[in-house]
Amino acid sequence: MTKTGGAKFDEVWKYFIQDNDQRNGHYSATCYHCDTTWARGKPTVMKAHLANICKSCPEDISKYWRDKLAEQTINYTRTSKQSNLPHNQATITQHFSSNQPLPLQVNSRLDKSLIKMWIITGVPFEIIENPFTIDFLKELNPGYASPSRTTLSGRFLDEEVARVNKYIDQELENAENLTLVLDGWTSIRSDSLYNFIIITSERKEYLIALKNFSKESHTGEMLANEIAIIIEKIGSEKFAAVVTDAAANCRVAREKIQFSYPHIWNIRCIAHAFNLIASDLVKLDAIKEFITKCNKLCHFFHDSNKSNAYLKQGLAEMKIKSEGLKTWIKTRWGSLYSTTNSILKAQPVFDWILSEHSEIITNLEIIRILKDEEFFSTCRFIRHIWEPIKESINRVESKSVDLADCFIFLIKLAVAIHQISNLNPFKREAIIIFNKRYEEFLHPIYTLTYFLHPHYRGRGLKDSVFREIALTAVQLWQNLGHSDNLCKELLSQLRRYEAKLNPFDLTYTEIDTPQVWWGSIKKKPQHLVQLAIRLFSITPSQASCERNFSTLKWLLGDHRTRMNITKLEGMTKVRSYYLSNICNELKYYGKELTENDIRSVINNTNMGDILELDDEESEIDINNNILNDNNNNSLIIGNIIDLNNFENENEISDEINDNEIGTLDYNPEDIINNFLFDELNETNNEMELNNRNEINDNEIGTLDYNPEDIINNFLFDELNETNNEMELNNRSDEMELNERNDEMESN
């Protein structure tokens, strides 16, 4: 349909069905792809529909309109409301600047900054029409005409979502080793929302989809289909892992995805392992009773002004650095460490109060607690256990966590439990709980990544574990589509890495990361390098989903219950992109601050509370399980790692020790000469290896092989080499003995 006069129809009408009935110069519109209908078709809304919303729209059309919206500039001028000031009253423009409309380019730049600020801070859109908001913006620049609420939440948001979608598409186009995480949440209006987040190898988090599954059956097959849609849209070859929690439907979905895409690994969120260990421990009757006493003690000093004043005085006079007593919070599993630590720090003050000012303690039960040495002994034990738990939870919920970190913190917690005295009744209970959760989360990929961490190199692992590590590496390499011959080359490199032979003999410094270290090895073939970088690119935690749920919680609030899922998805998508590229998005603020500093400032100035990871209820009663378990008195992790190898859990750190820092007494010439000499040797060795590795077509190998056979043959050859070497040594010793006998006879 074409107009006979007036302005021409916008290009976007080609993608919609127009109603023939003209209503005051407007037409209804129906999308060709999804049958969505508008009684009055507005080009700005229709463009946003094709670019950001329509799921049935072909990707090339959707991308075309995303690009158009992202590059769109305002081509009209908003007018300000007429001023009602008396004719002779002075205006701000007499002292500041003209109130004439701003140039389109300046107005567009201010509009983009405004929508960024509005989304990041979570301010309700209607605030833009508050008279004080309008007055404030006029104070900043009288020539700027602020948009209406509908323009801000409509066209401005749609255009920004299109820009963000375009930027995300560009970044993911050449991305590798992506992690897809997902989780579900029930909103304040009882909607079942699932978010799907992609994490890049650089740990940037991008919300890809927010979906309302309130009308769907949350089966594993349904979730697997939704995951597959995202994987296919972005490119299955770009993904390394799918991470979810332990829910039955999520577990089934991960298994189905790995079956369909063998190179995409099935990983359960490790953050829940530590949360569940902590939640299981606090369910023990003895610890529940201890927590009750702690809370009574904290509440007494918080509620009693006089007691609290003496506590502060004692801490100050004894120069004890403490912010006072910390109350345990049920949903924050690491808070028990803060509670016990604050009580133990204040113990000398408690003794001083009891001896010098006992009259201020009016509660007899509090007096009994303060005089109970067993209470403080239990407090020291729980602090000992909860310190690695708190550290672990903080670490695995961070953006930079990797698979090796998870295994390292499991070791730290195991060492803390291992060092508890056998006379302590809590030790057996802690062992049973740790073993239960460890078995649930046990995955050989964690052990392999710990082995490939260039700082640890499998420190403490028992000799028998190497076979399992090698088998895991071969299975992963096979799933990536590599032949048996390439698997043998991988195993050869794995053995050279274990022996710290060239090129795997590089020093790991305090400024390195595993990805940087492995990326610095240029020697070919790079089988082990590629596998290691892939492993260290995976983020094994869905904490990003929990952070996004926090965003959803305060975006919705108590008053935005009518906000539709499309607008909510757009706002959270834009926000996640801003935060992942925070330094590039801020033009003026924080040039002297680090990215983490800026992120901390934004988190502290958000409107709303942070959600905690959900507490997955245990399937069995913890106390009854411990009473009925008679055969679980040792840590299962001790089967693969020697816990006695670590004198204390603090030794398990990625910090470089003093002996590795180096010396200030050196000759720069020697540094350069040694470096160039090593580089020359590497080049020569690489050329020699490349000459050896010119494989003809018949030597490439097959994809139809059993990883067990590869490993068995590999270890059998290694055993034969060892036996031959021993036999050769025995023959040498025998010949030497015969020579001595002949010499003695001769004498």
Side-chain angles (χ1 to χ4, degrees):
M1 178 178 176
T2 60
K3 282 189 176 182
T4 58
K8 294 182 179 180
F9 278 112
D10 192 287
E11 178 189 3
V12 74
W13 280 101
K14 297 177 182 178
Y15 302 88
F16 291 83
I17 302 172
Q18 287 181 339
D19 191 341
N20 290 324
D21 295 330
Q22 186 174 1
R23 300 181 183 126
N24 299 323
H26 300 288
Y27 301 84
S28 64
T30 302
C31 177
Y32 276 121
H33 308 290
C34 67
D35 295 331
T36 300
T37 300
W38 295 266
R40 175 182 172 182
K42 297 181 180 180
T44 55
V45 176
M46 294 153 64
K47 292 174 185 177
H49 175 78
L50 294 174
N52 305 323
I53 302 170
C54 185
K55 305 301 181 185
S56 303
C57 181
E59 180 59 24
D60 58 337
I61 297 176
S62 181
K63 184 178 184 303
Y64 173 78
W65 284 106
R66 279 200 299 273
D67 293 345
K68 294 277 284 186
L69 277 183
E71 297 165 1
Q72 183 167 305
T73 57
I74 299 172
N75 56 6
Y76 69 91
T77 303
R78 290 194 299 272
T79 57
S80 303
K81 294 182 179 179
Q82 293 296 321
S83 173
N84 294 321
L85 291 174
H87 179 71
N88 60 349
Q89 182 172 335
T91 64
I92 191 173
T93 58
Q94 294 174 336
H95 307 286
F96 179 55
S97 62
S98 171
N99 60 1
Q100 293 300 310
L102 296 171
L104 293 179
Q105 185 178 8
V106 175
N107 218 66
S108 178
R109 188 179 73 244
L110 293 176
D111 288 342
K112 291 176 182 178
S113 294
L114 184 70
I115 188 64
K116 283 182 182 180
M117 181 275 290
W118 229 261
I119 292 174
I120 282 289
T121 56
V123 179
F125 288 116
E126 58 265 25
I127 300 298
I128 193 66
E129 295 180 345
N130 186 291
F132 284 91
T133 304
I134 297 172
D135 211 49
F136 170 71
L137 293 174
K138 284 295 182 184
E139 288 280 358
L140 292 177
N141 194 319
Y144 179 65
S146 57
S148 66
R149 174 183 61 83
T150 53
T151 300
L152 185 65
S153 63
R155 184 169 59 83
F156 281 16
L157 177 60
D158 292 338
E159 291 174 2
E160 194 62 26
V161 171
R163 275 191 287 271
V164 166
N165 281 332
K166 178 183 177 181
Y167 298 149
I168 292 176
D169 290 344
Q170 289 174 347
E171 183 152 349
L172 297 184
E173 187 174 354
N174 298 315
E176 293 180 327
N177 303 326
L178 301 174
T179 303
L180 176 63
V181 299
L182 65 141
D183 197 8
W185 174 67
T186 302
S187 72
I188 191 172
R189 56 193 183 194
S190 299
D191 289 334
S192 177
L193 304 181
Y194 271 75
N195 57 16
F196 299 79
I197 296 176
I198 286 180
I199 305 177
T200 68
S201 57
E202 294 81 20
R203 299 307 193 263
K204 291 185 178 181
E205 299 174 357
Y206 297 133
L207 176 71
I208 295 301
L210 178 67
K211 299 192 177 183
N212 188 345
F213 291 149
S214 300
K215 296 181 180 179
E216 305 287 341
S217 296
H218 297 176
T219 63
E221 185 172 357
M222 185 276 290
L223 286 180
N225 290 336
E226 293 293 336
I227 295 171
I229 291 172
I230 293 174
I231 288 175
E232 288 296 331
K233 180 179 179 181
I234 294 173
S236 62
E237 71 283 355
K238 299 176 182 178
F239 286 89
V242 172
V243 178
T244 74
D245 61 17
N249 57 344
C250 291
R251 184 182 68 250
V252 171
R254 293 197 314 268
E255 292 170 352
K256 286 181 174 292
I257 290 298
Q258 187 168 28
F259 180 80
S260 301
Y261 308 94
H263 66 283
I264 301 178
W265 302 328
N266 160 12
I267 297 181
R268 179 178 173 181
C269 173
I270 191 65
H272 284 85
F274 296 103
N275 279 285
L276 291 175
I277 290 172
S279 66
D280 286 348
L281 286 170
V282 299
K283 291 173 185 174
L284 294 173
D285 292 336
I287 294 186
K288 282 196 291 187
E289 182 181 348
F290 168 78
I291 291 174
T292 300
K293 291 180 179 180
C294 288
N295 286 343
K296 286 181 179 179
L297 184 62
C298 293
H299 287 313
F300 175 80
F301 278 92
H302 288 163
D303 297 339
S304 171
N305 296 334
K306 195 171 185 179
S307 300
N308 191 37
Y310 275 96
L311 176 63
K312 290 180 179 179
Q313 178 186 340
L315 291 172
E317 291 179 354
M318 296 182 189
K319 297 182 179 179
I320 298 173
K321 292 183 179 180
S322 173
E323 297 179 358
L325 300 180
K326 301 290 185 181
T327 306
W328 176 70
I329 302 173
K330 180 181 179 181
T331 57
R332 297 186 179 181
W333 307 118
S335 66
L336 191 52
Y337 170 80
S338 300
T339 301
T340 53
N341 191 48
S342 67
I343 290 174
L344 290 173
K345 279 187 173 183
Q347 187 177 5
V349 181
F350 295 147
D351 294 338
W352 169 69
I353 291 175
L354 288 175
S355 62
E356 301 291 337
H357 306 281
S358 59
E359 71 281 358
I360 68 171
I361 309 295
T362 56
N363 189 314
L364 294 178
E365 186 176 5
I366 298 300
I367 294 175
R368 284 195 294 271
I369 292 174
L370 294 178
K371 291 183 176 180
D372 186 2
E373 183 54 39
E374 185 178 345
F375 169 79
F376 289 100
S377 176
T378 303
C379 200
R380 281 186 286 272
F381 153 72
I382 291 180
R383 183 178 66 172
H384 173 74
I385 293 295
W386 247 263
E387 184 173 9
I389 289 178
K390 176 178 178 290
E391 186 183 2
S392 302
I393 292 174
N394 290 340
R395 181 69 178 118
V396 299
E397 291 183 5
S398 71
K399 290 177 177 287
S400 59
V401 67
D402 58 46
L403 292 160
D405 293 328
C406 300
F407 192 77
I408 290 162
F409 282 105
L410 282 173
I411 296 173
K412 283 191 174 187
L413 182 54
V415 169
I417 296 173
H418 179 69
Q419 291 176 344
I420 299 172
S421 169
N422 291 328
L423 300 177
N424 191 319
F426 288 115
K427 181 169 184 176
R428 179 171 174 271
E429 298 168 339
I431 288 174
I432 292 173
I433 289 172
F434 180 90
N435 287 345
K436 177 179 182 294
R437 297 305 180 185
Y438 176 75
E439 285 184 313
E440 291 175 356
F441 285 83
L442 183 62
H443 197 305
I445 201 172
Y446 288 109
T447 314
L448 171 61
T449 313
Y450 172 66
F451 177 78
L452 292 177
H453 194 297
H455 178 56
Y456 301 103
R457 292 180 179 263
R459 177 187 171 192
L461 290 176
K462 296 185 176 179
D463 294 340
S464 58
V465 180
F466 182 78
R467 184 185 189 280
E468 297 303 318
I469 289 173
L471 179 60
T472 303
V474 170
Q475 289 171 337
L476 297 178
W477 203 236
Q478 183 185 38
N479 289 341
L480 290 171
H482 297 291
S483 68
D484 56 345
N485 282 343
L486 295 183
C487 278
K488 292 173 184 176
E489 291 181 8
L490 174 72
L491 289 174
S492 176
Q493 292 179 5
L494 196 67
R495 185 159 53 182
R496 292 184 66 83
Y497 168 79
E498 183 187 30
K500 293 186 178 181
L501 299 177
N502 182 283
F504 308 110
D505 55 347
L506 302 177
T507 303
Y508 187 82
T509 68
E510 67 274 13
I511 60 174
D512 280 332
T513 66
Q515 285 177 290
V516 169
W517 188 90
W518 281 100
S520 67
I521 298 175
K522 306 300 182 184
K523 190 172 183 178
K524 296 180 181 180
Q526 292 201 310
H527 307 322
L528 189 58
V529 171
Q530 293 173 10
L531 180 62
I533 289 177
R534 187 178 181 86
L535 288 168
F536 284 106
S537 297
I538 295 172
T539 301
S541 168
Q542 58 170 180
S544 56
C545 289
E546 305 297 336
R547 286 190 286 269
N548 197 54
F549 291 147
S550 295
T551 301
L552 294 174
K553 180 182 178 183
W554 61 260
L555 281 179
L556 286 172
D558 297 327
H559 307 290
R560 282 175 155 177
T561 54
R562 292 182 298 171
M563 183 181 290
N564 62 53
I565 187 67
T566 301
K567 197 176 295 292
L568 194 59
E569 179 188 47
M571 293 173 66
T572 50
K573 181 177 290 188
V574 169
R575 190 175 189 277
S576 72
Y577 177 82
Y578 289 161
L579 293 179
S580 290
N581 298 274
I582 197 166
C583 292
N584 296 330
E585 293 298 322
L586 291 171
K587 295 182 179 179
Y588 304 104
Y589 178 85
K591 296 304 179 183
E592 74 286 357
L593 300 177
T594 66
E595 181 175 333
N596 289 334
D597 292 336
I598 299 174
R599 198 182 302 278
S600 177
V601 171
I602 289 178
N603 290 337
N604 292 334
T605 54
N606 277 343
M607 299 172 59
D609 300 324
I610 300 299
L611 291 177
E612 297 297 317
L613 284 168
D614 298 331
D615 176 16
E616 296 176 13
E617 293 294 330
S618 301
E619 298 177 358
I620 56 176
D621 182 84
I622 293 296
N623 294 283
N624 289 336
N625 181 49
I626 289 173
L627 289 173
N628 296 330
D629 196 326
N630 298 317
N631 301 313
N632 207 341
N633 295 313
S634 60
L635 291 160
I636 295 177
I637 197 173
N639 295 334
I640 65 171
I641 195 162
D642 184 6
L643 298 176
N644 294 317
N645 191 270
F646 308 95
E647 293 183 3
N648 60 74
E649 66 271 18
N650 293 326
E651 289 188 359
I652 316 166
S653 170
D654 56 2
E655 296 178 358
I656 309 300
N657 62 47
D658 293 338
N659 293 329
E660 295 174 315
I661 291 176
T663 177
L664 294 175
D665 184 17
Y666 62 91
N667 185 344
E669 287 279 353
D670 295 338
I671 297 288
I672 296 297
N673 291 336
N674 292 336
F675 174 79
L676 294 177
F677 179 75
D678 293 341
E679 194 175 54
L680 179 62
N681 281 341
E682 282 191 21
T683 303
N684 292 336
N685 291 335
E686 183 177 341
M687 293 174 61
E688 182 181 351
L689 188 61
N690 288 338
N691 291 333
R692 292 179 182 177
N693 287 339
E694 291 180 355
I695 303 174
N696 61 45
D697 293 339
N698 296 326
E699 295 175 322
I700 290 176
T702 177
L703 295 175
D704 184 18
Y705 59 91
N706 186 345
E708 287 276 358
D709 295 338
I710 296 287
I711 295 298
N712 291 335
N713 293 335
F714 172 77
L715 295 178
F716 179 75
D717 293 341
E718 192 176 54
L719 180 63
N720 280 343
E721 285 185 18
T722 304
N723 291 337
N724 291 338
E725 185 176 346
M726 292 175 61
E727 183 178 351
L728 189 62
N729 290 337
N730 291 336
R731 289 180 181 176
S732 177
D733 293 342
E734 185 178 350
M735 291 176 63
E736 185 176 346
L737 181 61
N738 290 336
E739 288 179 1
R740 290 181 180 176
N741 290 336
D742 292 342
E743 186 177 348
M744 291 175 63
E745 290 179 4
S746 173
N747 291 336

